[in-house]
């Protein structure tokens, strides 16, 4: 069917219109056969296709057709490479198209506010620019295949505890600068076909029926042209949802809420124009879906598996290396830890898919190794079995090897959509095993499998540490590639690994109680907090090593005509192998008039540098990313001043510094009797006159002059000026 067959809203009856705005069932929209509107399939999820053909659920309980399981967001984001995300998106779009899925329910770009969020594996970063850029890459890739994406979960949904009711109480600046910023970036840059509302409330208002969020911000300010879909079961009051601009309720509820809409429209309680706007957006979605260029199957599963392996290798962060890595092919190895044999490669819940194939690290290591590779599970992931016996076998294997590669991680049962973690510790049995192995063989390489950050108290004891996150179906092969140096590690931490959970900025304010969670840390999320408080961390945001080394030259910054800033820095690969460096640019404004973190990432670039080569790396800082949210005028403002840019390999490995000047905008609020003498003294019209008069009024006392700066003009009659003089100055300023 072609898209020009899709009718106009005026051709539909009220009942047909209402039916179009809710699902037919769990995964499909409702068709209106009379006028030729077909049903569409929307399905999960962010790192692979979860197309259920039998029983349906939103928690990954029932099976789905096999699809390539790419690294979940926690891994993909660590590549810090939006172009790589775009390639993954293209593959996801292709798989969705082959399966005739109109919309893929992802990416998820909520900010990692706390390491405890049970769904952190599905999210990108603690930083909005990283979350936005990586999300944008995925959206561009998916939609390039004529398949829609669903940007989720809009918004301020940063925990699983009480997720379907809790109110995220966030002040305006962090709301815009941290929690909405990534969404804004993806909407403006990628026009996702759909945006999925979150379950929670924001400052007391349900996200799924918030006119400010769904209409003023999303459509009026950001120019969103697509459709807003509810998260599965997020609709509380359907009529309010329609009024707010929530276009599609999923899943359907057998017409129950459609009947509410019909009744409300008939009684006049719901303006039919609001319903028509919602219906139009549903019809638009159908038109877009029908214009998808044909992509014929079958899926080239082998090619996508190879891509999944390449991508997974780009996601593994080399946290520490005393030189034991890469391994020699002929080294005598002991592989230890049940994760080596039973990979944890994705998280639980709605994003859980059935892979086309599953690499096992142990097999892949054996496939690449020339030397002997022994194996001992060392512990049971689920804590079953005889721990002492398992440990003894592993210790024996380690004692007999040159290097022990020890796979540790978080058991699957501990992290999932639907609940938060209560701690970030690895199981005691694993830590005990590590100590026992180290006692017989100090050459230990630890490989981690975890969706959320874990405490790493043993860092100083091990010579090498790989953060493997969750790597998708080809993670086993990718791990082997990194271990043997077939691939050179290039991933970087998209979230801080703290020394203690208690150091995290949300600690004490997570997950809230009695239906509310206070975002008390405000702007200071992630590294912003650790830097502001000068707290040591286990590994800083942006950190990640390589098998080569990079040297930075002097950075330079130039403001372009559009007001963006182009930062350039020469980067030389001083080692013996080719490698990727992720150049990060952090900005600050000394003497800023508003609260700011010590430094904020405003741009980054992953570049391949051949051994011995120097590359002039360019990092673009977009003008709008340099803005803060001004509370007085309720919009973005770029402050004038001389900004500092620190360029480096992590937020705490800054190699070069430069500066740029921005004219910016001076925010002037109207002068009233409630303005302070300080504001009056800054006013372009009466400023000088006020300063002279006030100075005279306080008898030239410099200290007193400072004291009156914050005094509202109309508050104390006669001090420091006669009231008539103060009123006269205010009126003169107002006349302009
Ligand atoms: C999740 C969404 C998911 C939907 C459909 C919800 O529980 O929050 O991310 O897309 O289910 O499975």
């Amino acid at each position: 069917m072609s898209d020009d067959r899709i009718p106009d809203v005026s051709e539909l009856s009220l009942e047909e219109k209402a039916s179009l705005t809710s699902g037919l069932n769990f995964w499909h929209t409702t068709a209106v056969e009379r006028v030729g509107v077909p049903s569409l399939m929307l399905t999960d999820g962010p790192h692979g296709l979860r197309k259920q053909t039998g029983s349906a659920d939103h928690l990954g309980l029932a099976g789905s057709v096999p699809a390539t399981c790419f690294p979940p967001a926690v891994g993909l984001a660590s590549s810090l490479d939006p172009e790589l995300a775009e390639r993954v998106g293209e593959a996801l779009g292709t798989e969705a198209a082959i399966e005739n899925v109109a919309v893929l329910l992802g990416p998820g770009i909520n900010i990692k506010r706390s390491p405890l969020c049970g769904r952190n594996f599905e999210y990108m970063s603690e930083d909005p620019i990283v979350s936005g850029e990586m999300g944008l890459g995925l959206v561009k890739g998916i939609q390039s295949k004529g398949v829609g994406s669903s940007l989720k979960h809009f918004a301020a949904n940063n925990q699983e505890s009480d997720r379907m009711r809790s109110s995220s109480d966030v002040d305006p600046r962090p709301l815009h600068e941290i929690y909405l910023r990534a969404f804004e970036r993806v909407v403006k840059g990628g026009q996702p076909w759909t945006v999925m509302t979150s379950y929670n409330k924001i400052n007391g208002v349900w996200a799924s029926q918030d006119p400010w969020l769904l209409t003023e911000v999303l459509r009026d300010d950001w120019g969103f042209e697509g459709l807003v879909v509810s998260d599965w079961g997020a609709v509380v009051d359907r009529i309010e949802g329609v009024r707010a601009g929530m276009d599609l309720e999923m899943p359907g509820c057998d017409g129950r809420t459609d009947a509410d809409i019909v009744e409300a429209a008939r009684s006049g309680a719901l303006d039919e124009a609001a319903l028509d706007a919602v219906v139009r957006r549903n019809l638009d979605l159908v038109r877009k879906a029908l214009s998808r260029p044909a992509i014929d199957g079958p899926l080239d599963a082998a090619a996508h598996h190879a891509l999944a392996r390449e991508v997974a290798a780009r996601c593994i962060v080399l946290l520490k290396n005393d030189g034991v890595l890469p391994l020699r092919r002929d080294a005598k190895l002991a592989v230890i830890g049940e994760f080596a044999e039973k990979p944890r490669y994705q998280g639980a819940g709605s994003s859980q898919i059935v892979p086309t194939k599953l690499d096992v690290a142990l097999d892949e290591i054996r496939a690449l190794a020339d030397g002997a590779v022994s194996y001992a599970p060392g512990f049971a992931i689920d804590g079953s079995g005889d721990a002492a016996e398992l440990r003894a076998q592993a210790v024996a294997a380690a004692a007999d090897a040159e290097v022990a590669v020890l796979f540790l991680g978080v058991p699957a049962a501990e992290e999932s959509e639907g609940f938060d973690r209560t701690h970030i510790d690895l199981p005691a049995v694993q830590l005990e095993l590590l100590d026992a192995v180290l006692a017989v063989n100090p050459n230990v390489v630890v490989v981690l499998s975890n969706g959320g950050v874990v405490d790493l108290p043993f860092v100083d004891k091990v010579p090498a540490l790989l953060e493997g996150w969750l790597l998708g179906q080809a993670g086993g092969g990718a791990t082997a590639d990194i271990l043997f140096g077939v691939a050179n590690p290039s991933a970087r931490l998209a979230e801080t690994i703290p020394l203690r959970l208690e150091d995290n900025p949300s600690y004490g304010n997570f997950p809230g109680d009695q239906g509310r969670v206070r975002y008390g840390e405000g702007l200071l999320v992630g590294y912003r907090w650790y830097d502001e408080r000068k707290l040591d961390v286990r590994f800083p945001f942006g950190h990640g090593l390589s098998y080569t080394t990079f040297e930075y030259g002097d950075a330079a910054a130039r403001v372009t005509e559009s007001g963006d800033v182009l930062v350039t820095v020469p980067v030389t690969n001083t080692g013996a192998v080719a490698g990727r460096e992720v150049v990060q640019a952090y900005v600050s404004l000394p003497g800023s008039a508003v609260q700011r973190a010590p430094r904020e990432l405003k741009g980054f670039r992953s570049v391949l540098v051949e051994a011995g080569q120097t590359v002039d790396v360019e990092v673009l800082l977009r003008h709008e990313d340099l803005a803060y949210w001004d509370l007085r005028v309720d919009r973005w403002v770029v402050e004038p001043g001389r900004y500092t840019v620190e360029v480096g390999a992590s937020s705490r490995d800054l190699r070069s510094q430069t500066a740029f000047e921005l004219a910016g905008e001076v925010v002037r609020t109207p002068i009233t009797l409630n303005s302070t003498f300080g504001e009056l003294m800054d006013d372009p019209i009466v400023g000088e006159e006020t300063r002279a008069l006030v100075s005279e009024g306080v008898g030239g006392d410099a200290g007193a002059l400072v004291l009156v700066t914050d005094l509202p003009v109309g508050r104390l009659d006669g001090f420091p000026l006669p009231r008539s003089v103060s009123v006269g100055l205010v009126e003169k300023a107002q006349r302009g």
Side-chain angles (χ1 to χ4, degrees), residues 411-426:
E414 285 187 20
E415 48 187 354
S416 168
E417 173 179 348
F419 61 87
D420 291 319
R421 295 194 291 168
T422 53
H423 63 83
I424 58 169
D425 303 328
L426 287 171

Side-chain angles (χ1 to χ4, degrees), residues 26-27 43-46 50 57-60 105-106 119 122-123 152-153 157 160 163 196-197 199 230-233 349-351 417:
F26 220 82
W27 300 121
T43 199
D44 291 305
R50 187 168 72 99
D57 66 88
H58 65 303
L59 292 172
L105 302 176
R119 219 171 170 182
E122 257 190 271
Y123 298 142
K152 65 190 188 183
H153 306 88
N157 167 209
E160 292 300 283
R163 67 169 169 161
M196 186 191 292
T197 71
Y199 289 124
S230 71
D231 197 347
W232 269 229
S350 63
S351 68
E417 173 179 348

Side-chain angles (χ1 to χ4, degrees), residues 106-125:
I109 58 163
N110 297 89
I111 293 293
K112 299 189 189 194
R113 177 174 174 247
S114 163
L116 296 177
C117 172
R119 219 171 170 182
N120 273 357
F121 61 84
E122 257 190 271
Y123 298 142
M124 303 282 184
S125 175

Side-chain angles (χ1 to χ4, degrees), residues 137 166 182 289 391 475 701 729:
S166 180
R391 188 158 55 236
D701 180 337
L729 287 167

